[in-house]
Amino acid sequence: MRHFYFRLILGIVWLAAALFCITGADLPFAALYAALGILFL
């Protein structure tokens, strides 16, 4: 069950990083972080 929580938390962190990059207009990294977040979730 720890694996599930680990992936869930990291997925949320990556998606939050993607949102932060979108606000800073850093679109290539936002796309990378969004992809990582989706893969973790």
Side-chain angles (χ1 to χ4, degrees):
M1 197 66 177
R2 282 184 288 161
H3 183 255
F4 172 75
Y5 290 124
F6 179 75
R7 287 182 60 128
L8 179 68
I9 290 169
L10 279 181
I12 292 171
V13 167
W14 282 119
L15 290 178
L19 290 175
F20 183 73
C21 284
I22 287 174
T23 60
D26 194 7
L27 297 180
F29 280 110
L32 173 68
Y33 296 155
L36 284 171
I38 290 168
L39 287 175
F40 268 88
L41 292 176

